[in-house]
């Protein structure tokens, strides 16, 4: 994906599962929505030998033994963990022949034509692409797992989102495979780069975390409100019961005053029992009222803890990526005028220089396109 983020989609799950099962020696009969898998004793996997039915659609589940293959399924997570254990580190080279020269979006979408483009590599650079598995869950109900690649340049420490997209594309099912050689980045440098990558991925997922947190907070608020309602109802029932006991105690007082000896003794005994029950209810009413006036702090804390987010970010693979840096030359055409534009460029990374409008000095991007190239580059806003 061009934004460098990879959510585990159903399509990606199916592609990965088929490729991995094939690679470890399993036999797969692929149907429209139902796969039959034979795992022989000779298969190089920790999966138990035998046969499996994998449903790629919930509608295709035939019985309780059929495994529904989807991003959150235990079977897929088991395969993913096994695959990562096999090749947690590797190397990969991105060469000029592997990628087309990327034309910046502010040129692609503009009225300016690119007549020619040429990339001249000057030197090699190294980055590390980490693949992070991010688990987001609350104790009570919500769970989500996503994969996010993060590429970091070894020398500068800068994140390289476009390199992530190039790496994912080149190492996809139809692309290449990183070698299993150990990466050559020193331990101290690798730890520093990993720390930067973790910071970058935390920043990227923060909006998603905020959204999940809002959902969890709303669920907690709803549960707290329901608890308040139930406690208020309980309080009203207690007050009603207390009122009934008060009336009975009062009636027994009349019996004590007017009854004979035996009736008075029985009434006194019953009144003592009712007074005891009255005191218990009065204490419970006082307790509920006090907790209500304080906002039920203990229950609130218990509910909020159950809906609190638990985020686990784990680097499951690290791939050292070598790529070329140099200059790219664009020959631009617009309204009969031509112009040469030379910019810093990385193979698989894209243009590395910021290009600004010659009039307003604001950078070009997908919203601010080039409108004119004479005498220098001008944006839409300044040319209209």
């Amino acid at each position: 994906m061009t934004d460098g983020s990879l959510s585990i989609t159903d399509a990606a799950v199916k592609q990965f599962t088929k490729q991995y099962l094939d690679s470890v020696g399993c036999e797969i009969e692929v149907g429209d929505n139902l796969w039959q898998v034979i795992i022989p004793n000779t298969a190089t996997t920790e999966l138990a030998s035998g046969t499996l039915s994998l449903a790629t659609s919930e509608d295709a589940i035939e019985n309780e033994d059929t495994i529904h293959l989807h991003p959150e399924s235990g079977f897929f997570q088991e395969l993913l963990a096994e695959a990562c254990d096999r090749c947690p580190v590797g190397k990969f080279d991105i060469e000029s022949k592997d990628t087309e020269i990327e034309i910046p979006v502010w040129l692609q979408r503009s009225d300016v034509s690119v007549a020619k483009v040429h990339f001249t590599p000057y030197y090699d650079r190294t980055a590390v692409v980490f693949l992070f598995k991010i688990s987001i869950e609350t104790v009570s109900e919500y769970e989500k797992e996503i994969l996010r690649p993060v590429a970091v340049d070894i020398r500068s420490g800068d994140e390289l989102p476009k390199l992530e997209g190039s790496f994912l594309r080149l190492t996809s099912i139809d692309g290449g495979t990183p070698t299993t050689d150990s990466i050559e980045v020193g331990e101290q440098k690798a730890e520093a780069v990993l720390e930067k990558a973790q910071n970058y991925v935390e920043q990227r997922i923060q909006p998603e975390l905020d959204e999940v947190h809002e959902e969890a907070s709303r669920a907690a608020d709803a549960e707290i409100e329901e608890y308040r309602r139930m406690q208020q109802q309980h309080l009203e029932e207690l007050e009603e019961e207390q009122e009934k006991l008060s009336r009975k105690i009062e009636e027994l007082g009349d019996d004590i005053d007017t009854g004979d000896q035996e009736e008075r003794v029985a009434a006194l005994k019953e009144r003592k029992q009712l007074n005891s029950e009255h005191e218990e209810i009065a204490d419970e009413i006082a307790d509920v009222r006090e907790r209500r006036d304080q906002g039920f702090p203990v229950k609130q804390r218990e509910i909020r803890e159950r809906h609190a987010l638990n985020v686990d970010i784990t680097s499951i693979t690290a791939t050292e990526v070598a790529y070329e840096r140099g200059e790219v030359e664009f020959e631009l055409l617009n309204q009969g005028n031509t112009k040469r534009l030379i910019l810093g460029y990385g193979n698989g990374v894209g243009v590395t220089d910021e290009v600004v409008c010659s009039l307003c000095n604001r950078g070009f991007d997908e919203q601010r396109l080039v409108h004119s190239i004479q005498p220098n580059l001008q944006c839409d806003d300044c040319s209209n």
Side-chain angles (χ1 to χ4, degrees):
M1 297 181 182
T2 55
D3 65 355
S5 65
L6 175 66
S7 184
I8 307 179
T9 63
D10 288 330
V13 168
K14 288 193 286 186
Q15 286 182 330
F16 170 84
T17 300
K18 185 177 186 308
Q19 182 197 35
Y20 186 74
L21 291 176
D22 281 337
S23 71
V24 298
C26 296
E27 299 176 16
I28 309 172
E29 182 182 332
V30 177
D32 290 337
N33 294 312
L34 192 66
W35 298 359
Q36 300 298 328
V37 180
I38 299 175
I39 307 171
N41 293 327
T42 55
T44 55
T45 175
E46 295 180 5
L47 296 173
S49 59
T51 60
L52 293 174
S53 292
L54 298 180
T56 57
S57 169
E58 193 170 0
D59 296 336
I61 297 176
E62 295 180 332
N63 53 58
E64 60 182 16
D65 294 328
T66 303
I67 298 172
H68 183 199
L69 184 64
H70 62 91
E72 296 181 1
S73 66
F75 182 77
F76 170 69
Q77 294 300 318
E78 184 179 355
L79 290 189
L80 185 62
E82 185 176 291
C84 291
D85 286 342
R86 288 171 179 266
C87 187
V89 296
K91 289 183 180 180
F92 195 82
D93 293 339
I94 297 181
E95 301 177 357
S96 298
K97 63 182 179 61
D98 297 323
T99 59
E100 295 182 358
I101 297 174
E102 180 185 341
I103 300 174
V105 65
W106 43 267
L107 278 177
Q108 285 183 37
R109 298 180 183 176
S110 72
D111 294 330
V112 176
S113 300
V114 178
K116 294 180 182 178
V117 59
H118 179 71
F119 171 55
T120 304
Y122 292 148
Y123 54 89
D124 292 334
R125 289 289 283 266
T126 303
V128 177
V129 179
F130 297 96
L131 188 61
F132 289 96
K133 182 171 74 170
I134 304 152
S135 299
I136 307 171
E137 63 180 12
T138 63
V139 176
S140 56
E141 55 187 41
Y142 189 91
E143 183 173 349
K144 183 176 186 180
E145 286 195 333
I146 54 179
L147 293 180
R148 289 288 172 90
V150 176
V152 179
D153 186 89
I154 293 293
R155 184 181 302 176
S156 67
D158 294 336
E159 59 179 330
L160 304 170
K162 290 184 178 178
L163 181 62
E164 298 156 12
S166 300
F167 175 76
L168 290 173
R169 185 171 60 254
L170 292 170
T171 58
S172 65
I173 301 306
D174 299 322
T177 302
T179 69
T180 56
D181 299 335
S182 298
I183 61 176
E184 298 177 357
V185 181
E187 182 179 349
Q188 187 173 1
K189 188 66 175 178
E191 289 178 356
V193 173
L194 175 59
E195 183 178 354
K196 282 185 174 292
Q198 193 137 5
N199 289 336
Y200 290 138
V201 78
E202 287 173 0
Q203 293 170 16
R204 294 186 192 181
I205 67 171
Q206 193 58 51
E208 192 161 0
L209 294 182
D210 291 342
E211 182 180 340
V212 176
H213 184 265
E214 288 178 6
E215 292 178 7
S217 294
R218 285 195 293 269
D221 290 341
E223 188 173 338
I224 290 168
E225 184 57 36
E226 176 63 15
Y227 181 78
R228 284 198 186 102
R229 188 191 65 77
M230 292 177 63
Q231 287 299 298
Q232 182 60 36
Q233 181 179 338
H234 180 52
L235 179 60
E236 292 171 359
E237 291 171 352
L238 288 173
E239 289 171 340
E240 184 178 344
E241 182 63 24
Q242 185 186 44
E243 188 177 341
K244 289 179 181 177
L245 287 174
S246 295
R247 287 198 299 269
K248 286 183 180 180
I249 291 171
E250 186 178 345
E251 291 171 0
L252 287 172
D254 294 338
D255 292 344
I256 292 169
D257 292 338
T258 60
D260 57 25
Q261 179 70 21
E262 186 177 346
E263 290 174 341
R264 285 202 303 271
V265 170
L268 285 168
K269 185 177 180 181
E270 184 177 359
R271 186 172 71 174
K272 182 179 180 181
Q273 177 64 31
L274 293 179
N275 277 330
S276 177
E277 293 178 15
H278 191 278
E279 288 177 8
E280 290 178 4
I281 291 178
D283 290 342
E284 189 173 354
I285 288 174
D287 176 64
V288 174
R289 285 174 175 169
E290 182 180 5
R291 289 188 292 114
R292 180 195 62 185
D293 294 343
Q294 294 174 351
F296 302 107
V298 175
K299 191 64 177 181
Q300 277 216 49
R301 184 165 56 251
E302 175 192 323
I303 292 173
R304 300 259 179 227
E305 286 176 355
R306 280 196 286 104
H307 288 276
L309 286 190
N310 179 28
V311 181
D312 182 45
I313 302 175
T314 306
S315 172
I316 56 176
T317 64
T319 305
E320 187 177 282
V321 178
Y323 67 101
E324 299 168 318
R325 276 210 171 180
E327 289 183 336
V328 64
E329 179 179 334
F330 297 105
E331 183 178 318
L332 308 180
L333 299 175
N334 179 244
Q335 297 179 349
N337 299 312
T338 62
K339 188 175 186 65
R340 275 198 326 152
L341 181 64
I342 300 175
L343 302 171
Y345 187 86
N347 190 29
V349 173
V351 171
T352 57
D353 293 335
E354 182 184 17
V355 184
V356 300
C357 172
S358 60
L359 296 180
C360 68
N361 207 38
R362 292 182 295 177
F364 292 108
D365 55 27
E366 59 184 9
Q367 303 297 328
R368 186 173 295 107
L369 309 179
V370 175
H371 183 81
S372 174
I373 61 175
Q374 288 296 332
N376 294 301
L377 300 187
Q378 297 174 14
C379 69
D380 285 332
D381 293 340
C382 294
S383 299
N384 293 331

